Amino acid sequence: MVLRPLGLGDLLTGVPAIRAVRAAVPGHRLVLATTAALAPLAALVDAVDEVLPARELEPLDWPGPPPELAVDLHGKGPASHVVVAGLHPGRLLTFASPGWPGPVWYPDEHEVHRWCRLVAEGLGVDADPDALDLAVPGVAPPAPAGVALVHPGAAFPSRRWPADRFAAVARHLADRGLDVRVTGGPAEVPLARAVAEAAGLGEGCVLAGRTTTLELAAVVAGARVVVSGDTGVAHLATAYRRPSVVLFGPVSPALWGPPLRAGEQGALHVVLWHGDGTGDPWGTALDPALARVTVAEVTAALDSLL
């Protein structure tokens, strides 16, 4: 049993560690406990045999016998440690915290490397941080291949670049002759429509609220380029090796940014950041570091990729 009931980006950064768990116990059935919304995407990870719907820091509704191994890929504990320990597993792997043995948690470690190290040290197996690839969903994407994706949303206001700047970027891409689509979740439909309208794009360019998780992944997998903030879509671009420009603010890209992938020629992902890592990723106002990212910087980065 592997615990990871968080957001889209959290799931995708944990994929190499999940694959390493599979390598450590190849004869076992691997059950991934993640959110119901991410269950279809989790099924695209070749190491996962079964997905158990779960909610953050809530007891798992597991009807089976105690697992032989339970791995906490949620956090440093102890709240998440209790969730996996409640299954009474034969063996428990967690980061060290008072009363819980395990590898030491380093706050300045990249998210992908952190969970790979937990599995490598705890289970004595190689964990490849580059094992981030995701299978392409077997669904028809709601947009043709080669579109330019603009994703203006983020979970918290501190990580949302202003809509008028995203609109200027979308207009720039359209002026270059690209087919631009604006993505987002159901709650981000008004934002996506505002960006599209300000950019002079038609209503048909707005995909926000019209895609399932798998359809969104399929669109990203075929995209010509992706521009977004520090959010889950950026991690999809990494998983599918699609060129991207990612705008960071309160959080350092050294912790959550797209890593250099093996076999990639040149810089496939451009990260823009003017911060010091002291911002609040859950803040209710635009982070000053993100506000310092200009439209000209973003369009120049896109031009370099295109």
Side-chain angles (χ1 to χ4, degrees):
M1 181 73 70
V2 177
L3 181 71
R4 192 74 170 163
L6 294 162
L8 173 58
D10 303 278
L11 172 63
L12 296 179
T13 54
V15 167
I18 295 169
R19 289 192 165 118
V21 172
R22 157 63 70 222
V25 286
H28 289 58
R29 181 171 181 80
L30 193 149
V31 178
L32 175 64
T34 192
T35 65
L38 292 179
L41 203 64
L44 300 178
V45 182
D46 53 8
V48 175
D49 296 309
E50 181 180 346
V51 178
L52 176 69
R55 296 183 180 181
E56 186 175 1
L57 301 181
E58 292 189 9
L60 296 174
D61 185 14
W62 172 241
E68 293 185 28
L69 170 68
V71 182
D72 181 3
L73 293 188
H74 181 281
K76 59 183 177 181
S80 57
H81 297 355
V82 173
V83 174
V84 285
L87 300 176
H88 306 291
R91 184 179 179 189
L92 180 63
L93 176 58
T94 69
F95 273 112
S97 63
W100 303 85
V104 177
W105 174 281
Y106 300 130
D108 58 349
E109 193 169 22
H110 191 283
E111 187 72 3
V112 173
H113 290 267
R114 166 179 291 130
W115 300 111
C116 282
R117 182 174 60 83
L118 172 70
V119 177
E121 293 185 13
L123 301 181
V125 65
D126 290 336
D128 181 8
D130 191 48
L132 290 159
D133 292 327
L134 199 65
V136 176
V139 298
V147 298
L149 295 185
V150 175
H151 188 85
F156 292 90
S158 61
R159 286 183 269 149
R160 290 183 207 139
W161 202 47
D164 61 327
R165 300 190 202 180
F166 269 115
V169 169
R171 180 71 264 164
H172 176 82
L173 290 168
D175 288 344
R176 286 202 51 157
L178 277 79
D179 183 357
V180 181
R181 305 300 170 99
V182 185
T183 55
E188 296 167 337
V189 172
L191 172 62
R193 286 177 174 167
V195 168
E197 182 178 359
L201 305 177
E203 176 68 22
C205 295
V206 177
L207 296 183
R210 295 169 45 201
T211 58
T212 65
T213 303
L214 289 182
E215 288 171 338
L216 176 62
V219 172
V220 174
R224 175 67 183 84
V225 70
V226 178
V227 56
S228 76
D230 171 23
T231 190
V233 165
H235 296 283
L236 279 174
T238 296
Y240 289 121
R241 300 176 183 263
R242 305 316 304 153
S244 68
V245 177
V246 188
L247 286 53
F248 276 79
V251 177
S252 169
L255 302 179
W256 282 91
L260 181 64
R261 305 292 310 280
E264 293 178 351
Q265 300 300 317
L268 192 63
H269 310 288
V270 178
V271 171
L272 300 175
W273 188 54
H274 302 302
D276 57 8
T278 59
D280 180 5
W282 305 283
T284 57
L286 175 66
D287 184 82
L290 183 57
R292 286 192 285 271
V293 177
T294 67
V295 171
E297 286 180 282
V298 178
T299 55
L302 286 167
D303 289 345
S304 71
L305 291 175
L306 294 168

